[in-house]
Amino acid sequence: MSEIGDCSSSSKSFQQIWAKLAEPSDSRYSDVEISSNELVVCSEITSSSPGKHEWCKIMRNSDLSSATMQNKSSNAILVDGIVLRNEDVVDIKSGTEIILGLDRAGSLSYRFKVILGQESCKQQLKISIDIEDAKCCICLNIWHDVVTVAPCLHNFCNGCFSEWLRRSQDKHTNVLCPNCRAVIQFVGRNHYLHDIEQSILQADSSLRRSDEEVAHLDSYASIKSNLVIRNGKKLHRKRAHSPLDNENANIELSCPQCGTEFNGFHCNQNTVHLPCQACGGMMPLRTDSSVPQHCLGCDRAFCGAYWHAQMVTRSDLHPMCGPETFKPISEHTISRIPFLAHETNRHEQDITERCISQTGTTLQDVIRDWIGKLNNREIDRSRMPLNHAELISGGTHFCNECYDKLVSFLLYWFRITMPKFLLPADARERDDCWYGYACRTQHHNEEHARKRNHVCRPSRGGGST
């Protein structure tokens, strides 16, 4: 028997993984993941034969935390010391040891594990929601790109509230909630409610808006990250104005442009401010400026490029980032392979490092070359772990974290397009792991991570390029 893991299922009620045969005693084998209520695990008869034979059936029990196992093979199987012969059944639970033979020595063994965390809970958890509670009180439709305001925590479409915010700042001292009239101090996109919004629309397509309506709404949307809204205060003084008032007022200023004009701009009492993700400092949200204030890869706000363009230097009064924290992709530099590369598999990272060394170039040269291919749209971006993947180019402003993710993505393409004969000698003879880059075993089985190639596309397990 050469490989184990092929399976057939008679039930499709569970599409996500709820259990697996894990920790194979032989590192040549991978975990067998179980995603259906009833599954027959098969194996190859010989290494050269395409024929398969059944060796066990695993049926999920109603308690969702155990299973019944039936021996479908002519050979005996040891299940926690119990001999299971052909057609015999036994209950198994998380931690049960399964040995494909009557003797531990020389026999392949697995450990049955039930996944009770997020993967199985998602299948069991159902959230009931009234459709009316998922509607924006401005347009009276299901939320689109939902945002939440604080402190009242009411929810609106991004486009609807963005337009409300703009008009409120033009006409009023304070920005009030359209629902309860509370003074709004903060607004941000709500990714959790966005998932609920999508689920509702999938369940009832009649609630969907037309493409024209969605495009029109998106044209108004200006909230890309969390915003702090400064509301005006009318000062009713009972005493004469003193220098101390000026000192206190300066302490409350959100950013340098609240008190001083730089580059022809200064904040007014209605200016919306963005908190920088890196330093926590504030900068005004500028729709009239060409300087990017959000990283396209993660939609988070960073102030480095903005203050650099405004020629504002750091001070003790206001936190501020340097331009090195947020700059165009083509201006980033890198001297070592990121920790995230190749799914954090250090063996694959070492092979990639040696591949680069053999070519006589540097990591920076390789990345520069592949950024050029990215600009020329020579790379499939479907696996790029970044937002707005289709809009990214060498001139896109990125934070350091997103740049590392991009480098990791480009190094994957560098490796899979490299001819095998150019790999280091010890890497050429390795077989591809069935699950490729999506393999979970590589994270906890050092031997498996080293002996199998994981910089490849999955051949099973539902992965894609």
Side-chain angles (χ1 to χ4, degrees):
M1 182 165 55
S2 63
E3 293 280 8
I4 292 177
D6 280 359
C7 59
S8 61
S9 60
S10 58
S11 171
K12 298 294 183 182
S13 60
F14 284 89
Q15 296 301 317
Q16 297 185 13
I17 298 166
W18 65 271
K20 60 183 176 180
L21 299 179
E23 302 175 14
S25 57
D26 190 329
S27 62
R28 293 176 299 170
Y29 301 96
S30 301
D31 294 351
V32 179
E33 297 177 336
I34 305 171
S35 58
S36 59
N37 273 343
E38 187 175 305
L39 175 141
V40 176
V41 183
C42 303
S43 62
E44 295 180 3
I45 297 173
T46 67
S47 59
S48 59
S49 171
K52 308 280 184 181
H53 76 270
E54 300 175 351
W55 68 273
C56 79
K57 178 191 285 188
I58 296 176
M59 297 159 283
R60 193 178 195 184
N61 292 337
S62 59
D63 62 6
L64 304 181
S65 61
S66 64
T68 299
M69 177 177 170
Q70 182 180 33
N71 185 357
K72 305 295 290 183
S73 168
S74 58
N75 299 320
I77 299 174
L78 273 180
V79 181
D80 274 348
I82 299 173
V83 178
L84 207 65
R85 302 194 183 277
N86 183 251
E87 300 300 329
D88 287 351
V89 297
V90 67
D91 283 340
I92 56 176
K93 59 184 180 181
S94 195
T96 295
E97 184 182 44
I98 302 170
I99 302 175
L100 279 63
L102 293 176
D103 185 9
R104 176 188 296 272
S107 297
L108 179 63
S109 67
Y110 281 94
R111 186 78 61 179
F112 179 72
K113 289 191 175 182
V114 176
I115 302 172
L116 293 176
Q118 182 180 9
E119 292 168 320
S120 58
C121 288
K122 280 182 179 178
Q123 300 162 352
Q124 302 170 38
L125 181 63
K126 302 294 181 183
I127 298 177
S128 177
I129 184 170
D130 188 335
I131 295 297
E132 295 302 314
D133 293 333
K135 288 185 176 180
C136 169
C137 74
I138 299 177
C139 66
L140 303 181
N141 286 308
I142 298 296
W143 306 311
H144 173 68
D145 190 15
V146 58
V147 298
T148 299
V149 301
C152 61
L153 301 181
H154 286 121
N155 308 296
F156 309 93
C157 303
N158 192 336
C160 292
F161 185 79
S162 295
E163 181 63 10
W164 174 275
L165 178 64
R166 185 187 66 79
R167 295 187 182 188
S168 294
Q169 290 176 328
D170 287 344
K171 298 180 180 179
H172 306 291
T173 303
N174 295 325
V175 178
L176 304 181
C177 172
N179 195 335
C180 66
R181 318 307 289 178
V183 176
I184 295 173
Q185 300 172 359
F186 177 91
V187 60
R189 298 171 77 182
N190 192 321
H191 300 289
Y192 173 73
L193 291 185
H194 176 72
D195 292 340
I196 293 179
E197 160 203 325
Q198 294 301 311
S199 298
I200 291 172
L201 296 178
Q202 288 175 7
D204 188 351
S205 59
S206 67
L207 297 173
R208 291 183 180 275
R209 311 184 202 214
S210 66
D211 292 341
E212 291 77 12
E213 287 179 289
V214 170
H216 182 70
L217 198 58
D218 286 340
S219 68
Y220 286 104
S222 63
I223 299 167
K224 296 182 179 179
S225 63
N226 299 334
L227 303 182
V228 176
I229 299 175
R230 295 183 66 233
N231 292 286
K233 296 181 180 179
K234 294 183 179 179
L235 301 178
H236 301 282
R237 301 187 182 276
K238 295 184 179 180
R239 57 179 173 80
H241 184 83
S242 73
L244 184 61
D245 293 323
N246 289 334
E247 182 179 343
N248 291 336
N250 288 335
I251 292 174
E252 295 176 358
L253 295 180
S254 292
C255 76
Q257 285 182 311
C258 286
T260 308
E261 181 175 305
F262 288 99
N263 215 10
F265 177 86
H266 66 87
C267 305
N268 58 44
Q269 63 182 12
N270 292 325
T271 300
V272 175
H273 284 77
L274 294 169
C276 175
Q277 184 69 28
C279 69
M282 295 291 186
M283 63 177 164
L285 173 62
R286 297 282 302 276
T287 57
D288 60 336
S289 172
S290 60
V291 181
Q293 295 178 285
H294 293 85
C295 173
L296 194 65
C298 61
D299 287 326
R300 296 181 299 176
F302 292 88
C303 69
Y306 177 77
W307 292 126
H308 181 68
Q310 302 298 310
M311 295 180 288
V312 179
T313 56
R314 300 183 186 183
S315 69
D316 294 334
L317 189 59
H318 300 286
M320 192 179 301
C321 290
E324 68 279 356
T325 61
F326 182 55
K327 55 188 177 182
I329 290 172
S330 58
E331 295 180 15
H332 278 267
T333 58
I334 190 163
S335 58
R336 58 177 180 79
I337 293 177
F339 172 76
L340 296 173
H342 305 320
E343 312 301 326
T344 71
N345 186 324
R346 65 183 183 86
H347 299 289
E348 301 296 357
Q349 292 173 9
D350 176 66
I351 291 171
T352 297
E353 192 168 11
R354 286 187 284 154
C355 287
I356 294 172
S357 178
Q358 287 178 183
T359 62
T361 59
T362 64
L363 175 61
Q364 184 71 55
D365 294 332
V366 169
I367 297 304
R368 186 182 298 112
D369 180 45
W370 279 90
I371 288 174
K373 295 180 180 181
L374 185 74
N375 290 339
N376 295 332
R377 311 198 74 81
E378 299 175 28
I379 305 174
D380 178 9
R381 306 184 184 208
S382 57
R383 279 197 64 240
M384 186 181 289
L386 297 163
N387 298 341
H388 316 292
E390 292 302 319
L391 302 178
I392 294 171
S393 68
T396 303
H397 275 68
F398 259 22
C399 65
N400 293 333
E401 183 179 335
C402 287
Y403 180 71
D404 279 357
K405 290 181 180 180
L406 177 65
V407 169
S408 300
F409 171 77
L410 296 177
L411 288 177
Y412 165 79
W413 280 100
F414 168 74
R415 274 284 301 278
I416 66 169
T417 56
M418 175 170 285
K420 204 164 188 177
F421 69 87
L422 292 179
L423 293 173
D426 59 329
R428 293 174 201 160
E429 305 305 321
R430 298 185 308 163
D431 292 329
D432 290 347
C433 174
W434 286 343
Y435 299 97
Y437 56 75
C439 174
R440 299 176 185 177
T441 306
Q442 65 176 317
H443 300 301
H444 60 78
N445 189 321
E446 192 80 6
E447 189 72 6
H448 178 77
R450 181 178 62 84
K451 286 191 173 182
R452 294 295 179 98
N453 173 40
H454 292 89
V455 186
C456 59
R457 301 173 179 88
S459 57
R460 64 182 67 185
S464 58
T465 301

